[in-house]
Amino acid sequence: MIQMLGESFTIVTQLERRYLLKEFPELVSCGESSKLLEVGCGNGSTILPILRGNKDIIVYACDCSSEILERAKEFVETSDVASVKNRFFPFYCDFCTTGFPEWLACNYCRGSRPQKQHDCFSDIEEKNRPQLTYLSRESDSSIAGVDFVTLIFTLSAVPLQGMPRALRDCYSVLKPGGLLFFRDYGLYDMTMLRFEPEQRVGFREYMRSDGTRSYFFSIDVVRNLFVDAGFIEVELEYCCVKSVNRRNGKSMQRVWVHGKFKKPL
């Protein structure tokens, strides 16, 4: 916040999450035209460093807020990243309630998923489908699945009882051998300790002032959720960072859960 001529102005800075390329180097080293689905893209802070770090990757990004999605689109399209128009496809999707659109499904999932898995895909998606500049060789109506899915501080906003379905949805759009990259709030993170008792709505689950939820994960909970959804654990650990606020000298303890999970071949 700054003041100028008696008026107050709020300046919002969108910081890129550049650390993701170090934590998940597969996003940089993957083959040409690899496809990524960013679930809950927010303001685009995750998308931009990925597009900048890999000039060949194609990113599909969804969010449940049309307003936020427009901000992400503007943030990415006004950046200095080359060929963004042909590599960045944002679309609206509230995946934890309606599932992903059918055009995201991989051919393997279409032919082999059990009947109960059909709920992972929504039939009402054409109006939200991005204008693709190409179609997959495998199908004339689908991108035939993605190679990577990122869930970065997204799953914690899903009600606990809805998390199993949300992960099955992610599993269903991944190609066999594909990877899901996960990072989210861990137990006793600074934000958890700041919630008031009346904001607690469940076990390790809190309600923010804007009506959104925040769940704080343990390693065991994450492992069980992903394994039950069919994933193979590749990496799973706590990431603890202690920082100091230079203004007031207070230390802040951040606790995140970092994970990497694979869909079996």
Side-chain angles (χ1 to χ4, degrees):
M1 179 83 70
I2 63 172
Q3 289 189 336
M4 184 179 297
L5 299 178
E7 297 185 17
S8 297
F9 300 87
T10 299
I11 297 179
V12 179
T13 303
Q14 300 186 124
L15 300 177
E16 297 179 32
R17 290 172 170 161
R18 294 188 177 93
Y19 65 85
L20 292 176
L21 300 183
K22 180 180 179 180
E23 299 292 338
F24 307 119
E26 294 89 347
L27 293 172
V28 178
S29 60
C30 59
E32 185 176 352
S33 299
S34 292
K35 296 190 283 282
L36 161 71
L37 173 63
E38 163 74 0
V39 182
C41 63
N43 62 15
S45 60
T46 298
I47 302 165
L48 198 54
I50 295 172
L51 289 169
R52 180 177 285 116
N54 186 334
K55 63 181 180 62
D56 295 317
I57 198 169
I58 298 170
V59 177
Y60 301 89
C62 67
D63 201 278
C64 63
S65 169
S66 299
E67 181 180 353
I68 294 287
L69 203 60
E70 283 300 315
R71 292 180 189 174
K73 184 177 179 181
E74 181 181 2
F75 181 48
V76 173
E77 291 183 350
T78 57
S79 69
D80 58 352
V81 178
S83 305
V84 167
K85 186 176 181 180
N86 297 324
R87 298 194 293 126
F88 173 57
F89 302 102
F91 64 98
Y92 174 87
C93 178
D94 189 355
F95 87 111
C96 66
T97 58
T98 62
F100 289 120
E102 184 74 23
W103 55 265
L104 272 174
C106 68
N107 286 348
Y108 176 84
C109 296
R110 289 172 183 270
S112 64
R113 67 181 185 273
Q115 185 64 35
K116 65 179 181 180
Q117 290 293 330
H118 280 257
D119 291 340
C120 295
F121 300 98
S122 170
D123 293 327
I124 309 174
E125 79 277 348
E126 287 304 317
K127 66 179 181 179
N128 298 319
R129 180 172 179 164
Q131 296 299 311
L132 305 181
T133 56
Y134 75 98
L135 289 174
S136 168
R137 294 178 181 177
E138 295 94 334
S139 169
D140 61 358
S141 61
S142 167
I143 67 169
V146 297
D147 303 283
F148 307 105
V149 171
T150 51
L151 272 178
I152 309 298
F153 298 104
T154 297
L155 192 62
S156 57
V158 176
L160 182 60
Q161 64 272 20
M163 290 182 188
R165 171 180 169 165
L167 291 177
R168 290 197 302 269
D169 290 358
C170 293
Y171 185 92
S172 295
V173 299
L174 264 178
K175 296 177 181 178
L179 291 170
L180 186 149
F181 302 123
F182 175 83
R183 177 167 286 209
D184 219 319
Y185 300 107
L187 271 180
Y188 309 118
D189 178 67
M190 173 188 71
T191 54
M192 178 181 179
L193 302 179
R194 287 182 173 180
F195 278 111
E196 298 294 334
E198 59 269 20
Q199 291 179 279
R200 182 175 176 179
V201 295
F203 184 60
R204 301 174 182 169
E205 192 172 13
Y206 296 81
M207 185 73 72
R208 296 179 185 271
S209 57
D210 62 0
T212 58
R213 293 175 180 259
S214 285
Y215 183 86
F216 295 86
F217 293 96
S218 68
I219 291 288
D220 289 339
V221 167
V222 174
R223 175 178 292 117
N224 291 337
L225 282 169
F226 277 88
V227 171
D228 288 349
F231 288 96
I232 298 171
E233 178 185 327
V234 178
E235 294 178 6
L236 184 59
E237 61 186 359
Y238 285 112
C239 178
C240 301
V241 177
K242 185 177 181 180
S243 58
V244 178
N245 188 316
R246 294 181 180 179
R247 184 173 300 176
N248 55 30
K250 293 184 178 180
S251 61
M252 298 176 288
Q253 186 70 37
R254 305 312 310 266
V255 181
W256 302 305
V257 176
H258 162 97
K260 189 182 298 183
F261 302 89
K262 184 176 183 179
K263 180 173 182 176
L265 292 170

